[in-house]
């Protein structure tokens, strides 16, 4: 969530003994770009159903160019989640990219089906 809130990324671990996974998290260039976006607009929580939250962050010039979306599973169980783009106010046909997987997911449709592990977050970029 640090990148969605324009916060600095602080690491309190021993840099000499970081796991490969930790290094990948701290050096994810796509997430760093979201954090350092020129629009400097923080994400806003759009949906909260108690266990799942959806946050949207406008990107680019005045936030009109692209959007970043974070979907958070706060529960102690893995969940299947349906992200409805209309429900969060995004109706354009945009390309979707998963910033953790570094993978293009194609053009957005009305709904996107996600599997969220326990306490996981998915960060998408729409452009």
């Amino acid at each position: 969530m640090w990148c969605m809130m324009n916060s600095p990324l602080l690491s309190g671990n021993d840099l000499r003994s970081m796991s490969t996974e930790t290094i990948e998290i701290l050096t994810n260039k796509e997430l760093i770009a979201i954090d350092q976006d020129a629009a400097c607009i923080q994400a806003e929580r759009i949906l909260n159903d108690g266990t799942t939250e959806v946050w949207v962050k406008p990107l680019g010039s005045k936030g009109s160019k692209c959007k970043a979306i974070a979907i958070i599973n706060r529960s102690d169980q893995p969940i299947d989640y349906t992200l409805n783009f209309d429900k969060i106010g995004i109706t354009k046909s945009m390309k979707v990219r998963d910033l953790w997987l570094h993978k293009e997911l194609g053009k957005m449709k009305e709904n996107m089906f996600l599997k969220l592990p326990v306490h996981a977050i998915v960060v998408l970029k729409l452009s």
Side-chain angles (χ1 to χ4, degrees):
M1 281 301 292
W2 61 271
C3 71
M4 298 295 287
M5 302 308 289
N6 298 343
S7 300
L9 176 59
L10 302 175
S11 175
N13 58 306
D14 185 342
L15 300 177
R16 297 168 297 173
S17 60
M18 287 192 297
S19 68
T20 302
E21 181 182 28
T22 299
I23 292 170
E24 288 175 8
I25 290 169
L26 297 177
T27 61
N28 184 322
K29 291 179 182 184
E30 292 183 271
L31 293 176
I32 292 169
I34 297 295
D35 180 63
Q36 296 177 352
D37 182 69
C40 296
I41 301 171
Q42 289 185 326
E44 179 181 346
R45 186 172 61 191
I46 303 299
L47 294 174
N48 178 12
D49 71 7
T51 60
T52 308
E53 296 180 10
V54 177
W55 292 70
V56 176
K57 174 183 170 115
L59 302 172
S61 176
K62 298 182 182 176
S64 61
K65 185 177 179 184
C66 304
K67 306 237 183 268
I69 299 175
I71 305 99
I72 306 167
N73 176 9
R74 295 198 181 274
S75 75
D76 293 328
Q77 300 295 321
I79 61 169
D80 292 327
Y81 186 76
T82 301
L83 177 63
N84 182 313
F85 290 107
D86 286 336
K87 194 172 180 181
I88 60 172
I90 298 174
T91 57
K92 295 180 182 177
S93 179
M94 301 173 100
K95 291 188 295 183
V96 181
R97 181 168 178 83
D98 186 315
L99 301 185
W100 283 115
L101 299 177
H102 308 290
K103 181 179 176 183
E104 296 293 337
L105 302 178
K107 290 266 186 181
M108 61 189 251
K109 299 177 178 136
E110 185 177 326
N111 295 322
M112 182 173 200
F113 303 98
L114 303 164
K115 291 190 174 292
L116 295 168
V118 175
H119 299 289
I121 185 168
V122 170
V123 181
L124 306 172
K125 181 177 180 182
L126 306 180
S127 59

